[in-house]
Structure formats: structure tokens, C-alpha cells
């Protein structure tokens, strides 16, 4: 049975009628946990030279549908050669202005009803599906088999462990990253897609990773030329995952982004 989440948290319930009008039609989570940061928020580049531990999840080469947890680094020469073969298949194009982009063009945040993608239609929102997929020692909320109350996350982007606990001041410590940002996809041609395809991209586990919140917020809608995970050891795997999503959805990338991805897997 599909859960019906409360649309307004207690603090917002006291907001003025005018403020409520401004949020009409938007999904607002109980504690802010399920509302993603804007994909077109200001972005800052990754930190070249920042050390980071390799991810402890699954190699993207062994996880073509995105249903296995996390993201593991690619360290062997054979894996890096295979990674380059994936990246080399990418088509290139020019990035548009982004005119007309709106998050709602990809469906409301974390919808369970996107068609044609794994984990959809199970009665739980996409964010909680991804927390369950990527977390360790997951504890569910009492009386709710969808909501993740607490877990441990081996964050691939910053290369650190995060003790996650759901709450007004802690939920955003872990965010769900769109590997290919929705605004980026819009600028590369998704604005011309059917709505069903945009909803698939926004909720496809292949395009989603549970990661450190601050690190994800720094990414915004950046492509690989402008932003890479601070943990250098995960960058080749990140490039493969970015390429896998773009290839699945027949989405071009910029020439500079493609070259940046190749550089991460160079031997």
C-alpha cells in the first residue's frame, strides 16, 4: 500500500496562507529529508589533490542496472581499460542555456510511480529506496517499512563513513545525488524528451547515489569538467557511472566533459 506522507512539517504548519500559496503543488517532506537540493544550485569544483579512501560499494562495471549498493573504485589496469571503452562510446554535443528548466519537469521529487526503472512501484519513495540500498546496518522507522530511521554510509564521494540518523537537523547529512544532474540533462537535450523518460532519469537507481550532503551540495548541476568527487580514488568509477547513465538515456555530454572522464581512467 502506498504511503501518503504529510505534506507539511509542524513548523511549516504555522506559516501564513500567503507562504502556503507559494508552495502549492510542491512536495515538502516531513523533516526536509526527501526534498533534494536544487540541481541548478551554485556549484563549486572538486578539490584536486584531496585524498580519499576508495569506495566500498559495487564496481559500476558489475552493476549495469544500479541495483547493487554504492560505488567502488576501479584500480586494476583491466578495469580502467574497460572503463575507457565505456566512456569512449559517449556522443558529444553543446550544452544549452537551460531555459525552461524546472525540477517538476522530471516529476515530483522521489516519486514511486516512474515507469520502467528498478525499485519503482514498491510503495516506498525513491530516496528511502536508495538509503536502504546503500546503507549498512539499516534501521527502519517503527511501524513503517519504508522510512529509514538510521544507518551507516560509506560515502564514495568524500571517502568517509557517516552515521546517519533521520531528523530535522540530521537528515540532510546524507543526500541522494543525481550522477547526471537533471539540469545538466535538460541542457543536453532532455527538455525535448517525453515526460515519462524524464521521470525515469530522475528516479533510476543507476543515476542515484547516497552521498555526503555537503559534498553533494557543492556539485550543483556541474558536469565532470567543473566537478569531480573530492576522493580521487573514486573518480574513474564515477566517470563510468556518469557514462552509463548518459548512454542508457542516449544523452550527449560536452567534449570537455568526455575528455575529463577519460583522464580519470587514464593509465
Amino acid at each position: 500500500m502506498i504511503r501518503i506522507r504529510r505534506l507539511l512539517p509542524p513548523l511549516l504548519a504555522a506559516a501564513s496562507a500567503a507562504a502556503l500559496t507559494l508552495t502549492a503543488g510542491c512536495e515538502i517532506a516531513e523533516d526536509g529529508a526527501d526534498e533534494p537540493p536544487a540541481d541548478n544550485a551554485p556549484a563549486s569544483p572538486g578539490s584536486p589533490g584531496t585524498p580519499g579512501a576508495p569506495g566500498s560499494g559495487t564496481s559500476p562495471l558489475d552493476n549495469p542496472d544500479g541495483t547493487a549498493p554504492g560505488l567502488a573504485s576501479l584500480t586494476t589496469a583491466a578495469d580502467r581499460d574497460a572503463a575507457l571503452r565505456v566512456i569512449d562510446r559517449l556522443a558529444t554535443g553543446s550544452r544549452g542555456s537551460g531555459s525552461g528548466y524546472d525540477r517538476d519537469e522530471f516529476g515530483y521529487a522521489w516519486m514511486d510511480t516512474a515507469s520502467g526503472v528498478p525499485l519503482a512501484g514498491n510503495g516506498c519513495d525513491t530516496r528511502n529506496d536508495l538509503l536502504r540500498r546503500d546503507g549498512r546496518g539499516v534501521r527502519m522507522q517503527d511501524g513503517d517499512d519504508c522510512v529509514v530511521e538510521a544507518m551507516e554510509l560509506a560515502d564514495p564521494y568524500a571517502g568517509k563513513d557517516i552515521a546517519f540518523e533521520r531528523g530535522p537537523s540530521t537528515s540532510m547529512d546524507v543526500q541522494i545525488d543525481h550522477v547526471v544532474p537533471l539540469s545538466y540533462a535538460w541542457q543536453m537535450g532532455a527538455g525535448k524528451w517525453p515526460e515519462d523518460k524524464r521521470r525515469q532519469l530522475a528516479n533510476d537507481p543507476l543515476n542515484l547515489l547516497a552521498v555526503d550532503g555537503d559534498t553533494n551540495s557543492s556539485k550543483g548541476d556541474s558536469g565532470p569538467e567543473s566537478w569531480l568527487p573530492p576522493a580521487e580514488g573514486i573518480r574513474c568509477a564515477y566517470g563510468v557511472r556518469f557514462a552509463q547513465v548518459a548512454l542508457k538515456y542516449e544523452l550527449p555530454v560536452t567534449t570537455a566533459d568526455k575528455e575529463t572522464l577519460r583522464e580519470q581512467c587514464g593509465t
Side-chain angles (χ1 to χ4, degrees):
M1 181 174 66
I2 297 177
R3 293 185 302 110
I4 302 175
R5 74 176 65 162
R6 295 191 301 274
L7 292 180
L8 293 174
L11 292 178
L12 289 182
S16 67
L20 288 173
T21 300
L22 291 175
T23 60
C26 299
E27 181 185 58
I28 302 174
E30 295 173 73
D31 60 5
D34 296 335
E35 185 68 11
D39 263 331
N40 56 349
S44 60
S47 305
T50 303
S56 60
T58 310
S59 163
L61 296 171
D62 299 328
N63 187 23
D65 63 359
T67 56
L71 189 67
S73 57
L74 302 176
T75 57
T76 69
D79 279 351
R80 287 177 171 263
D81 286 344
L84 287 172
R85 290 195 294 272
V86 174
I87 294 167
D88 283 343
R89 292 167 52 203
L90 288 168
T92 57
S94 299
R95 189 165 176 171
S97 67
S99 176
Y101 170 77
D102 188 285
R103 175 61 177 83
D104 288 345
E105 295 289 343
F106 292 80
Y108 63 82
W110 313 133
M111 63 190 302
D112 182 47
T113 55
S115 62
V117 293
L119 308 183
N122 65 359
C124 303
D125 65 73
T126 305
R127 174 181 162 85
N128 279 292
D129 282 338
L130 270 294
L131 293 177
R132 267 203 315 275
R133 184 197 68 181
D134 291 349
R136 302 174 303 193
V138 173
R139 175 164 58 85
M140 307 303 291
Q141 190 175 79
D142 289 345
D144 195 322
D145 59 2
C146 283
V147 178
V148 174
E149 185 72 22
M151 68 177 203
E152 298 287 329
L153 177 70
D155 165 53
Y157 284 3
K160 65 181 184 181
D161 290 333
I162 301 172
F164 168 82
E165 185 170 353
R166 181 181 176 85
S169 62
T170 57
S171 285
M172 293 308 287
D173 290 347
V174 172
Q175 296 177 11
I176 306 300
D177 178 45
H178 287 99
V179 177
V180 175
L182 304 186
S183 177
Y184 179 97
W186 182 272
Q187 293 171 58
M188 298 305 295
K192 299 177 182 177
W193 292 355
E195 186 176 7
D196 282 353
K197 186 175 180 180
R198 290 197 295 267
R199 291 178 174 180
Q200 289 170 357
L201 177 69
N203 294 278
D204 191 337
L206 185 65
N207 194 32
L208 299 170
L209 286 171
V211 298
D212 172 62
D214 288 342
T215 305
N216 183 52
S217 294
S218 77
K219 176 180 174 178
D221 70 344
S222 297
E225 180 193 20
S226 301
W227 189 92
L228 290 167
E232 292 183 353
I234 206 67
R235 290 179 178 177
C236 178
Y238 175 81
V240 172
R241 177 58 63 84
F242 196 101
Q244 286 173 324
V245 175
L247 289 167
K248 178 176 178 177
Y249 287 89
E250 300 180 321
L251 192 72
V253 302
T254 69
T255 300
D257 285 336
K258 181 175 181 177
E259 184 56 35
T260 298
L261 294 181
R262 293 196 85 264
E263 291 170 357
Q264 307 317 305
C265 299
T267 55

